[in-house]
Amino acid sequence: MTTTAQQFLDAVLDPGTFLSWDRAPLVVAADEQYLADLERARTRSGVDEAVLTGAGTVGGRRVAVVVCEFAFLAGSIGVAAAERITLAVERATAEGLPLIASPTSGGTRMQEGTAAFVQMVKIAAAVTLHKDVGLPYLVHLRHPTTGGVFASWGSLGHVTFAEPGALIGFLGPRVYQALYGQEFPEGVQTAENLFRCGVIDAVVPLADVRGVLERALVVLQDDPEATPENAQPSDEGADTSVSAWHSVLLSRRDDRPGVRELLAANVSHHIPLSGTGRGDFDSTVTLSLTRFRGRSCVLFGQDRTGQTPENTMGPGALREALRGMRLAEQLGLPLVLVIDTLGASLSREAEEHGLAPGIARCISTLITLRTPTVSVLLGQGTGGGALALLPADRVVAAQHAWLAPLPPEGASAIVHRDTAHAPAMAEAQGIRPVDLRAARIVDTIVPEDPDAADEPHRFMGRLGTAIARELDTVTALDPGVRQSERLRRFRMLGQ
């Protein structure tokens, strides 16, 4: 059963806060049959068009809302509905309000033809301008959402989630069957499948939508909290006598804490995002909107729990990293990047899907990003997969993390034609944080006492404090100064 617009508003907004922005729909050219269809739709649905717009509050925070009503001609969007949506988006932008959209629609209103079809451009343009000024756009797709609605404003959210079991797709199954004489493959156009494929971020039942929106709005709107004076960490105590090879071995411990433990120890509000929104999903990385030690940020990290020698980061992971970079810049949030990788995928598929160009685009985007950035060298930092996340304003490193163009065994194979010289190569290449700091690649080293795997909670606490301190430092800088200093920093490496 399709959720009505009123049911969505009642479930999501604070009681009694909804204020409609709607005026009488535009009058469009219509023959007698279409006029009769419109009248029946008004009587059946209890609303005057396929969309309701207005403002209300979620957890006391004022938001704008655009909600489709499927009972009105299958939620189809014609000229009048599109104008109503566009006016609401423009008003939300003018008033500086986050925008929550909940489509449920069969797509373009066929009775109005091409004139209705091209309205999707108008709506998409208004949404893009809304996002361009740093205002959040959050989308909850209801059953069903298809056609031009899904292919325009339904797919432009900073965060996009959907009802369980919802039919979500470009071409509706009835149209597909009529055109091709067969049924669309079962199980493809479902919210759950699109979540698995990285097209949407989550599957969320109506009862939980309000909670998800509240958490997102905390991250996207709340000011940062002050850092307690006694929470300033020191990087003194890092044992500089430990060999590079010993650190490499420690970084490979199965029980070494990773990005998940970092999140668990330091994040109060967490909105996980899935994939790129474009059909890429990679289990070796994680992306989220977070409230990290009282500071809102976008966090992208390489997840050691999803990596094996046979499953390392591929092109999709790099496109997901780019999504995180764009998201941080659009929303004006700091970006935290966690490096902990066995290396990028070495496979035919990775090559054919643009692994090397993906690394290049990450480096190019990150080094010129306008938003504050902090990279965290947490464990293994192998090759281009690590370099793609490195060029930030500040770089924090765990004591036994490392950064190298290849694993020491690979470097040994190139130079000595064997792997027996791996310990010597690790030492000679200057891969330890203490060496990286001397080379001005790393700014802060967080001690491990003696190893993060032996004290995961205490270590993650120290690491979280160091990251928070660096976030405060770079966020306080003038944006132009910050960007020029970042460029200068990497321009001067090796000199």
Side-chain angles (χ1 to χ4, degrees), residues 370-372 393 474-475 477-486:
R370 292 191 299 269
T371 198
D393 295 310
V474 298
T475 302
L477 296 174
D478 174 83
V481 171
R482 182 174 58 234
Q483 190 178 48
S484 63
E485 283 296 312
R486 186 194 309 146

Side-chain angles (χ1 to χ4, degrees), residues 115-440:
F117 176 52
V118 298
Q119 297 295 310
M120 303 306 169
V121 177
K122 176 170 74 178
I123 302 170
V127 167
T128 301
L129 293 173
H130 179 84
K131 293 166 63 178
D132 281 349
V133 296
L135 292 170
Y137 179 52
L138 309 174
V139 177
H140 181 246
L141 304 170
R142 292 166 25 239
H143 171 76
T145 303
T146 60
V149 171
F150 184 47
S152 58
W153 56 285
S155 292
L156 294 176
H158 289 118
V159 182
T160 304
F161 42 100
E163 283 184 328
L167 169 66
I168 311 291
F170 176 56
L171 193 63
R174 187 172 64 180
V175 176
Y176 181 90
Q177 186 170 25
L179 292 176
Y180 299 107
Q182 56 186 340
E183 293 186 358
F184 196 86
E186 188 176 354
V188 174
Q189 295 178 312
T190 66
E192 289 77 6
N193 185 54
L194 296 187
F195 168 61
R196 286 190 295 269
C197 295
V199 176
I200 64 173
D201 293 308
V203 177
V204 181
L206 182 62
D208 296 335
V209 170
R210 177 187 172 91
V212 172
L213 292 174
E214 284 185 342
R215 292 197 301 277
L217 292 171
V218 168
V219 173
L220 298 174
Q221 291 199 296
D222 281 12
D223 293 330
E225 299 172 9
T227 303
E229 292 185 6
N230 62 358
Q232 300 300 317
S234 170
D235 58 4
E236 296 178 1
D239 186 354
T240 59
S241 67
V242 175
S243 72
W245 182 243
H246 184 63
S247 289
V248 169
L249 295 178
L250 291 178
S251 75
R252 293 172 174 173
R253 282 183 57 168
D254 290 339
D255 56 350
R256 184 175 177 85
V259 67
R260 294 184 183 218
E261 288 76 15
L262 178 67
L263 288 167
N266 294 284
V267 166
S268 59
H269 293 75
H270 180 221
I271 308 296
L273 307 177
S274 176
T276 62
R278 303 178 183 182
D280 294 303
F281 177 79
D282 193 307
S283 63
T284 69
V285 296
T286 182
L287 174 64
S288 58
L289 294 169
T290 68
R291 190 77 172 163
F292 190 99
R293 291 289 186 97
R295 293 148 191 81
S296 296
C297 66
V298 175
L299 190 146
F300 177 83
Q302 293 161 336
D303 184 1
R304 63 189 299 116
T305 64
Q307 300 177 50
T308 65
E310 296 77 29
N311 184 41
T312 51
M313 66 177 298
L318 296 162
R319 287 190 282 272
E320 196 164 344
L322 284 168
R323 179 193 179 189
M325 295 174 197
R326 288 190 295 266
L327 195 61
E329 192 156 68
Q330 283 183 340
L331 293 168
L333 293 177
L335 174 66
V336 176
L337 300 147
V338 180
I339 299 169
D340 193 0
T341 178
L342 299 171
S345 177
L346 303 176
S347 67
R348 173 178 175 174
E349 181 182 17
E351 295 290 353
E352 292 179 346
H353 287 82
L355 179 69
I359 293 170
R361 292 188 184 101
C362 282
I363 295 170
S364 173
T365 302
L366 184 55
I367 194 65
T368 57
L369 209 64
R370 292 191 299 269
T371 198
T373 54
V374 174
S375 285
V376 183
L377 191 54
L378 182 54
Q380 300 183 74
T382 304
L387 189 64
L389 308 186
L390 180 71
D393 295 310
R394 302 284 287 180
V395 179
V396 177
Q399 178 184 338
H400 296 307
W402 51 276
L403 178 69
L406 284 174
E409 296 89 340
S412 177
I414 289 175
V415 175
H416 299 286
R417 299 185 181 275
D418 61 41
T419 59
H421 291 80
M425 288 302 301
E427 206 67 39
Q429 287 192 309
I431 70 175
R432 298 179 304 166
V434 65
D435 303 314
L436 298 171
R437 183 167 60 180
R440 299 186 179 181

